[in-house]
Amino acid sequence: MTYASMFQQIAQINDHLFLCGASARKPDRLQQLGVTDIINCTIEIPNMKVPGIDCDQIHIDDVPHARLYAYFDRCADKIHQVKKRGGKTLVHCVAGVSRSASLIIAYLMKYQRMRLRDAYYHVRQRRQCIRPNVGFWKQLIEYEKKVFGQASVKMIQSPIGWIPDVYKDEAKNMVPLPGRGTAWRYQ
């Protein structure tokens, strides 16, 4: 699968939870997967109007200082309630890389009792392009401390600034983009 085609895919995280970017949302595909609820965590993308699918929107920007933590419990509880009634939830942002992945990781910690490191690798195995921004990582680490009492991921210094230790190997070949804050590129 090419990196570009990955953005058109809907990743199945488990039997009741899916992750994608906005461009992958196709009504026939959602109905085929049995999606009953959508969590749209964007400012930019309006909710879909699909009969039989309930859509909630979390207005959050994909920037490190955005307070995504405030939505971790709310979204995790929603996904859990949908599962309890036999439904399936799709969580999406614009690209299916940062905001939506972070919310799913928080759900996996709270309700599947996965440690942050394990939840990240679980989601990444199903959608290789995920990359929560550094600010969301800091919030996920704090959330893991709340849920488990300690963190399994730590922030470390790298050539491109502070990163979660799970990004350490990738960061060896990256440089920061001048004037772009937390944007990086491979050298």
Side-chain angles (χ1 to χ4, degrees), residues 29-117:
R29 180 77 172 123
L30 298 176
Q31 290 171 336
Q32 178 186 19
L33 293 170
V35 171
T36 58
D37 293 77
I38 294 174
I39 298 173
N40 170 0
C41 47
T42 71
I43 294 171
E44 314 85 332
I45 309 291
N47 277 339
M48 293 183 73
K49 306 274 191 274
V50 181
I53 298 180
D54 181 51
C55 295
D56 286 334
Q57 188 158 15
I58 304 300
H59 294 276
I60 192 92
D61 204 0
D62 186 15
V63 293
H65 63 272
R67 295 301 307 153
L68 191 61
Y69 187 106
Y71 299 102
F72 288 165
D73 281 327
R74 175 178 159 187
C75 291
D77 294 348
K78 166 83 175 179
I79 294 165
H80 182 68
Q81 291 303 315
V82 170
K83 177 189 179 212
K84 278 177 53 175
R85 67 170 163 76
K88 295 180 181 183
T89 304
L90 171 79
V91 183
H92 80 81
C93 53
V94 174
V97 171
S98 186
R99 292 170 277 192
S100 54
S102 297
L103 291 172
I104 286 176
I105 289 168
Y107 164 78
L108 292 173
M109 284 193 285
K110 183 172 184 176
Y111 284 104
Q112 303 293 303
R113 304 300 298 164
M114 285 186 183
R115 300 304 305 262
L116 174 54
R117 180 176 301 277

Side-chain angles (χ1 to χ4, degrees):
M1 176 184 307
T2 67
Y3 196 71
S5 70
M6 188 171 299
F7 289 101
Q8 298 301 316
Q9 299 296 317
I10 297 176
Q12 184 167 358
I13 305 305
N14 59 29
D15 64 341
H16 67 277
L17 186 56
F18 300 90
L19 166 64
C20 72
S23 64
R25 306 171 308 158
K26 307 284 188 248
D28 57 331
R29 180 77 172 123
L30 298 176
Q31 290 171 336
Q32 178 186 19
L33 293 170
V35 171
T36 58
D37 293 77
I38 294 174
I39 298 173
N40 170 0
C41 47
T42 71
I43 294 171
E44 314 85 332
I45 309 291
N47 277 339
M48 293 183 73
K49 306 274 191 274
V50 181
I53 298 180
D54 181 51
C55 295
D56 286 334
Q57 188 158 15
I58 304 300
H59 294 276
I60 192 92
D61 204 0
D62 186 15
V63 293
H65 63 272
R67 295 301 307 153
L68 191 61
Y69 187 106
Y71 299 102
F72 288 165
D73 281 327
R74 175 178 159 187
C75 291
D77 294 348
K78 166 83 175 179
I79 294 165
H80 182 68
Q81 291 303 315
V82 170
K83 177 189 179 212
K84 278 177 53 175
R85 67 170 163 76
K88 295 180 181 183
T89 304
L90 171 79
V91 183
H92 80 81
C93 53
V94 174
V97 171
S98 186
R99 292 170 277 192
S100 54
S102 297
L103 291 172
I104 286 176
I105 289 168
Y107 164 78
L108 292 173
M109 284 193 285
K110 183 172 184 176
Y111 284 104
Q112 303 293 303
R113 304 300 298 164
M114 285 186 183
R115 300 304 305 262
L116 174 54
R117 180 176 301 277
D118 296 334
Y120 166 72
Y121 284 119
H122 176 83
V123 176
R124 186 167 173 230
Q125 182 180 18
R126 285 146 183 85
R127 186 167 174 83
Q128 291 81 29
C129 64
I130 70 161
R131 189 173 194 80
N133 74 46
V134 173
F136 294 167
W137 270 106
K138 290 176 183 175
Q139 294 171 60
L140 285 164
I141 289 167
E142 288 306 309
Y143 191 68
E144 183 181 29
K145 288 177 185 174
K146 173 186 160 190
V147 173
F148 291 103
Q150 61 184 15
S152 62
V153 174
K154 65 182 182 214
M155 299 300 291
I156 60 170
Q157 187 59 261
S158 79
I160 57 173
W162 287 97
I163 59 169
D165 60 10
V166 296
Y167 289 172
K168 185 169 99 177
D169 291 336
E170 292 175 55
K172 291 177 188 172
N173 299 318
M174 298 181 92
V175 293
L177 290 173
R180 296 285 310 273
T182 59
W184 316 319
R185 70 168 171 80
Y186 286 97
Q187 47 181 3

